[in-house]
Amino acid sequence: PNGDLLATSDEEANTFLIWDSTTGEKVVEVPLGEEVIQSLAFSKKGNILGVGTDKNLLTWEVERKKIINRKKVSCLNIAFFGSEILVITKDRMLWHYESDTLLPAGKKTELNQNWDKAVFSGVGSKLALWFSKAEHKDIPFADIWDIKTNRHQIKLKGNAHLIVASILSRDDSILAVATERTLKVWQLCANQPVQNIEVPANLETLDITDKVDKLIGGMEGGFMQLWNSRSCQPFCEAYKGNNKNINQIKFAGDGSVAIAGFKNAYLGKDDFAVILEGNKGKMLQALVCRDNAGFANAVDLSADGSRALTGMNDGTVRLWDTKTGRQILPSMEGHEGGAYAVALSTDKEGGRIL
């Protein structure tokens, strides 16, 4: 609740781990047997951790360090929404559960197709569903679902290309989709036609600021580009950092800086991530590991851009000072496989890590 804990999952060992984010020390490791963890989410107050697995939905009470409820349901993705936990199941259903009891909080909703990707918006009121590959341009490849009314808001057609990345803005107003050499942007609230942006290299990852004023894309070969999210005009020339491909790119909450994590950094010798200025796209700092941590699978930034979080290929999670490029805490170890998803809490300095 006071922002000093973090949670991670280990896909090799089927465990989730709770850490002290002020010291980097592991508090507890919880094995789940044969259950495969699909999604983790903290409640708004931070006192409950939701754990979605391929077999069950669990709630973990942070203070007492114990599982308090378990519901048999195969989870794809979960999110807290007010007093409820929303669950997307693998059999294409949307469930609402009371977060304190896991009793059903409303009717289950059939999501009409076997979508293979699902994400909740930042405020939890919208759900975006899409296919990684639509077989024909007349088949809906994305569906925006209004959670409050349990109805479709919009179905998007007109794409028959491989979708490599997508992002739904925090205020539900913009959906951006990367399809190889094209960025497609829908202004969902304005009911405007799709805007197609040609890019200099194949897109790999996208992000959008909390203010919904800027988009950033990471491309093959280390290209990075900033756009105005409303006009879709570039802020500056594309930044060409190096010949490394990009695993993930993320904005700080205030949009002041961004971070890009690379796929193919050389062990102990090369930068595995760079910090970029949020308006001009210029490199401010390079992050370098002196040990054999490998490359960055996942990255995130604190709301004010002062801290960076990286999930490394060797399974460690590391917290960095973005101005100095130095590691702040000892590496958080305990994952048998690589660390593939990380997140900092939305308070100013990112006191909680997930």
Side-chain angles (χ1 to χ4, degrees), residues 104-181:
K107 294 193 304 181
K108 63 181 179 181
T109 305
E110 187 171 359
L111 297 175
N112 71 35
Q113 296 189 65
N114 287 318
W115 305 98
D116 56 10
K117 302 288 183 181
V119 64
F120 293 100
S121 67
V123 295
S125 62
K126 296 288 189 298
L127 169 65
L129 305 153
W130 66 90
F131 290 117
S132 295
K133 181 72 168 70
E135 297 179 356
H136 190 274
K137 66 180 182 179
D138 292 327
I139 297 176
F141 75 93
D143 190 355
I144 307 299
W145 194 279
D146 189 306
I147 293 172
K148 292 181 179 179
T149 63
N150 269 343
R151 294 180 179 178
H152 303 281
Q153 180 182 356
I154 189 171
K155 291 184 178 181
L156 303 175
K157 300 181 180 180
N159 182 73
H161 299 283
L162 179 67
I163 295 175
V164 295
S166 63
I167 186 79
L168 180 64
S169 68
R170 186 174 182 83
D171 67 352
D172 309 325
S173 66
I174 291 177
L175 175 68
V177 175
T179 60
E180 298 168 336
R181 296 294 287 269

Side-chain angles (χ1 to χ4, degrees), residues 59 83 186-187 267:
T59 49
S83 62
W186 282 265
Q187 307 285 342
L267 297 182

Side-chain angles (χ1 to χ4, degrees), residues 261-320:
F262 300 125
K263 292 181 180 180
N264 47 349
Y266 296 103
L267 297 182
K269 299 179 181 179
D270 211 350
D271 55 318
F272 64 88
V274 293
I275 307 299
L276 301 173
E277 198 276 331
N279 290 314
K280 298 180 180 179
K282 294 181 179 180
M283 189 183 79
L284 299 177
Q285 193 61 254
L287 304 184
V288 180
C289 279
R290 301 303 177 185
D291 53 19
N292 292 330
F295 46 85
N297 292 313
V299 295
D300 199 15
L301 287 166
S302 60
D304 64 358
S306 65
R307 294 182 176 187
L309 185 68
T310 60
M312 307 303 293
N313 195 50
D314 68 347
T316 60
V317 177
R318 305 183 183 216
L319 191 64
W320 305 80

Side-chain angles (χ1 to χ4, degrees), residues 35-221:
E35 296 185 50
V36 179
I37 297 173
Q38 303 289 335
S39 182
L40 295 171
F42 274 113
S43 63
K44 186 175 182 180
K45 293 181 179 180
N47 60 324
I48 300 292
L49 176 70
V51 182
T53 79
D54 62 336
K55 295 182 175 64
N56 290 289
L57 171 64
L58 313 171
T59 49
W60 169 272
E61 187 174 325
V62 172
E63 185 175 353
R64 292 193 292 167
K65 300 178 184 177
K66 62 180 293 185
I67 293 174
I68 53 175
N69 283 302
R70 183 188 299 262
K71 185 75 174 182
K72 186 174 180 59
V73 57
S74 180
C75 301
L76 178 64
N77 202 354
I78 67 172
F80 281 86
F81 181 53
S83 62
E84 300 176 359
I85 300 180
L86 308 178
V87 180
I88 304 293
T89 65
K90 290 190 173 182
D91 59 353
R92 66 182 187 182
M93 304 298 291
L94 170 62
W95 287 85
H96 298 239
Y97 294 103
E98 293 290 346
S99 59
D100 55 349
T101 64
L102 293 190
L103 292 174
K107 294 193 304 181
K108 63 181 179 181
T109 305
E110 187 171 359
L111 297 175
N112 71 35
Q113 296 189 65
N114 287 318
W115 305 98
D116 56 10
K117 302 288 183 181
V119 64
F120 293 100
S121 67
V123 295
S125 62
K126 296 288 189 298
L127 169 65
L129 305 153
W130 66 90
F131 290 117
S132 295
K133 181 72 168 70
E135 297 179 356
H136 190 274
K137 66 180 182 179
D138 292 327
I139 297 176
F141 75 93
D143 190 355
I144 307 299
W145 194 279
D146 189 306
I147 293 172
K148 292 181 179 179
T149 63
N150 269 343
R151 294 180 179 178
H152 303 281
Q153 180 182 356
I154 189 171
K155 291 184 178 181
L156 303 175
K157 300 181 180 180
N159 182 73
H161 299 283
L162 179 67
I163 295 175
V164 295
S166 63
I167 186 79
L168 180 64
S169 68
R170 186 174 182 83
D171 67 352
D172 309 325
S173 66
I174 291 177
L175 175 68
V177 175
T179 60
E180 298 168 336
R181 296 294 287 269
T182 303
L183 174 62
K184 297 175 176 289
V185 180
W186 282 265
Q187 307 285 342
L188 299 176
C189 296
N191 197 26
Q192 296 177 355
V194 61
Q195 298 182 71
N196 294 300
I197 306 169
E198 298 299 321
V199 294
N202 287 344
L203 279 158
E204 296 181 312
T205 177
L206 293 171
D207 197 25
I208 191 168
T209 57
D210 287 351
K211 295 180 180 178
V212 200
D213 59 342
K214 288 179 285 190
L215 272 165
I216 191 168
M219 296 165 248
E220 286 183 355

